[in-house]
């Protein structure tokens, strides 16, 4: 294993970001468009120099910031003036007290839904793209790109349009129509690849090494260390919205696994900076049964993720070979959580349950999260007497096919007699 070393920092302004650090061997590299360690091929992530903030001073600074993820600029790989640049300003989404859902599931403690469907392109992907685009500016890229299961393509297209970048994004050819339209409306190139997400991702990795991809910033490949940091802001917001304290349990959907690992990283940073009191918390991962390689590894006690071919309606989570899967296992086991999966039928039932109880229309990924939440309570692995946060990552209007049989209760003539005959009257 290589010895961890410190290296000179690249001359770019990305705020407190100090270097790229290998998650496996600890070797450090200058800030740049890199995602794999040259020593051991482990994944790179951002290492920071947060300075000598006192906790109260930093807390006041955050609270005085804008109602977006940029209130946390001192903790992100972005320049200090990021809020004044042309971007979509995502974040600061509601933390909903889900009392009706909690009662139905048997909670005696508070259940919350962190509802990220209110972001500019209606998914949490706006957070990660907002951080990636600042790195793209710093490294003088001219084109923004990505491999995507749908939501990321839309987020990249919108952010590129606002910031004046060209965009060209790649998706599986058979995505939900709503996601295709939303990704294509922003005017960039939208390219369908014959195959699943893993095929798309392999193609993008090849394009990065080819002259045809010169000047391209792939937000979830060569800009992945910066991109991933946007997910930390979910952890920051949850804790701030709880009055600067850690939740006791969090349920997070798992696709690549990056969101879950970065939420854990964000919680650990808040603890280290003294912004929240250190206390135990448990993190649970949620997958669809038709693409559940991390859940399968967790249940069998394995540390290795065996790739699968996705077959689920939850296409935004359909990554058969998740890059951060092993780290999800580590976090679930370290915190006393779990990784669980639900069937497509349970996903649809959970979408309806959340809509009926809380008025939140989640996309299929949110249905996976709520379905797993329900299953974890029923099997006794998640404690309903402890404060819990479940994350809804996107808007149900993007995955209408999942609940296409919802519609009219009745069709009547415009008369009171017809209304009463339909059984709709209160008396």
């Amino acid at each position: 294993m290589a010895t961890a070393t410190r290296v000179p920092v690249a001359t770019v302004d990305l705020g407190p970001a100090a270097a790229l650090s290998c998650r496996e061997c600890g070797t450090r590299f200058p800030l740049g468009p890199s995602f794999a360690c040259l020593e051991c091929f482990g994944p790179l992530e951002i290492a920071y120099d947060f300075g000598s903030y006192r906790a109260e001073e930093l807390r006041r600074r955050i609270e005085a910031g804008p109602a977006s993820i940029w209130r946390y600029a001192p903790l992100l790989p972005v320049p200090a003036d990021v809020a004044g640049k042309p971007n979509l300003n995502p974040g600061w989404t509601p933390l909903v007290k889900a009392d009706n859902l909690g009662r139905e599931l048997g909670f005696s403690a508070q259940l919350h839904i962190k509802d990220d469907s209110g972001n500019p392109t209606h998914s949490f992907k706006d957070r990660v793209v907002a951080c990636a685009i600042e790195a793209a500016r710093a490294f003088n890229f001219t084109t923004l790109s990505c491999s995507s299961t749908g939501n990321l393509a839309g987020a990249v297209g919108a952010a590129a349009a606002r910031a004046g970048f060209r965009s060209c994004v790649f998706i599986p050819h058979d995505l939900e129509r709503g996601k295709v339209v939303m990704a294509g409306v922003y005017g960039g190139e939208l390219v369908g690849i014959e195959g699943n997400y893993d095929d798309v991702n392999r193609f993008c990795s090849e394009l990065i090494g080819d002259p045809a991809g010169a000047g391209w910033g792939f937000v979830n490949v060569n800009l992945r260390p910066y991109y991933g940091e946007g997910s930390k802001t979910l952890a920051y917001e949850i804790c701030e919205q709880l009055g600067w304290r850690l939740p006791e349990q969090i349920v997070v959907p798992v696709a690549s696994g990056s969101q879950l690992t970065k939420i854990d990283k964000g919680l650990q940073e808040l603890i280290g900076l003294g912004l929240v009191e250190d206390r135990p918390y448990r993190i649970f991962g949620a997958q669809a049964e038709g693409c559940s390689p991390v859940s399968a590894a967790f249940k069998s006690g394995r540390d290795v993720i065996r790739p699968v071919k996705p077959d689920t309606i939850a296409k935004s989570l359909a990554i058969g070979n998740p890059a951060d899967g092993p780290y999800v296992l580590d976090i679930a086991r370290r915190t006393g959580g779990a990784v669980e999966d639900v069937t497509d039928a349970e996903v649809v039932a959970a979408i309806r349950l959340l809509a009926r109880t809380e008025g939140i229309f989640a996309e299929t990924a949110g249905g996976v999260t709520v379905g797993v939440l329900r299953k974890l309570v029923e099997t006794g692995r998640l404690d309903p007497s402890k404060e819990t946060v479940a994350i809804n990552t996107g808007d149900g209007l993007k995955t209408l096919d999942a609940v296409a049989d919802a519609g009219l209760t009745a069709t009547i003539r415009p008369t009171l007699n017809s209304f009463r005959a339909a059984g709709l009257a209160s008396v």
Side-chain angles (χ1 to χ4, degrees), residues 19-363:
L20 295 176
S21 176
C22 178
R23 203 184 301 184
E24 290 294 327
C25 72
T27 302
R28 289 195 170 197
F29 303 91
L31 296 173
S34 303
F35 62 99
C37 176
L38 298 178
E39 298 291 336
C40 73
F41 303 107
L44 298 179
E45 62 180 5
I46 307 296
Y48 290 95
D49 178 3
F50 288 132
S52 56
Y53 285 113
R54 289 186 300 109
E56 287 303 317
E57 173 192 0
L58 181 55
R59 190 179 290 119
R60 285 194 297 270
R61 178 173 175 178
I62 289 171
E63 292 173 345
S68 71
I69 64 171
W70 304 135
R71 66 199 290 113
Y72 308 109
L75 309 179
L76 295 171
V78 297
D81 62 349
V82 62
K85 295 178 180 290
N87 62 69
L88 296 179
N89 299 314
W92 203 240
T93 55
L95 185 67
V96 179
K97 288 185 176 181
D99 294 336
N100 298 328
L101 178 62
R103 278 192 296 272
E104 187 137 344
L105 298 184
F107 273 81
S108 57
Q110 185 65 61
L111 172 64
H112 304 266
I113 300 295
K114 179 60 172 170
D115 185 11
D116 240 26
S117 64
N119 276 309
T121 68
H122 306 286
S123 91
F124 91 96
K125 292 295 188 181
D126 291 319
R127 297 174 182 269
V128 290
V129 171
C131 289
I133 204 168
E134 293 308 313
R137 284 190 176 111
F139 304 136
N140 298 313
F141 286 122
T142 56
T143 298
L144 282 185
S145 187
C146 69
S147 52
S148 174
T149 56
N151 283 325
L152 181 58
V156 168
R162 177 70 63 85
F165 282 82
R166 176 198 175 207
S167 69
C168 181
V169 300
F170 301 90
I171 60 175
H173 70 288
D174 59 350
L175 285 186
E176 302 98 332
R177 181 63 181 163
K179 289 182 179 176
V180 173
V181 171
M182 188 166 190
V185 75
Y186 300 107
E189 282 88 18
L190 177 64
V191 181
I193 299 290
E194 295 177 357
N196 59 31
Y197 173 81
D198 298 293
D199 297 315
V200 178
N201 201 39
R202 280 192 293 271
F203 168 78
C204 289
S205 297
E206 291 179 18
L207 183 54
I208 287 173
D210 191 274
W216 288 38
F218 288 80
V219 299
N220 55 343
V221 189
N222 58 352
L223 295 176
R224 188 175 183 83
Y226 311 91
Y227 158 96
E229 296 297 282
S231 287
K232 296 191 311 183
T233 61
L234 280 162
Y236 298 159
E237 287 181 23
I238 288 168
C239 291
E240 184 179 356
Q241 289 168 330
L242 288 176
W244 292 108
R245 57 186 172 81
L246 296 168
E248 293 175 284
Q249 301 175 136
I250 308 177
V251 185
V252 187
V254 173
S256 72
S258 176
Q259 182 186 75
L260 187 148
T261 62
K262 291 304 187 290
I263 285 174
D264 180 65
K265 182 181 181 182
L267 296 177
Q268 289 297 311
E269 287 176 350
L270 293 181
I271 292 168
L273 290 164
L275 292 173
V276 297
E277 180 183 351
D278 189 5
R279 67 176 188 179
Y281 61 85
R282 302 168 74 198
I283 296 185
F284 298 84
Q287 293 204 292
E289 184 181 272
C291 186
S292 54
V294 187
S295 175
F298 181 86
K299 292 175 182 179
S300 66
R302 289 186 280 108
D303 294 325
V304 176
I305 307 296
R306 294 175 181 168
V308 301
K309 185 175 182 179
D311 182 17
T312 174
I313 61 170
K315 293 185 179 180
S316 61
L317 302 183
I319 297 179
N321 189 17
D324 279 25
Y327 303 106
V328 170
L329 295 175
D330 291 343
I331 291 166
R333 289 165 178 159
R334 169 173 57 79
T335 65
V339 187
E340 184 54 273
D341 55 82
V342 286
T343 66
D344 283 356
E346 290 172 313
V347 171
V348 173
I351 292 171
R352 292 180 177 277
L353 174 63
L354 182 60
R356 174 172 59 80
T357 56
E358 300 298 339
I360 296 173
F361 184 19
E363 69 161 293

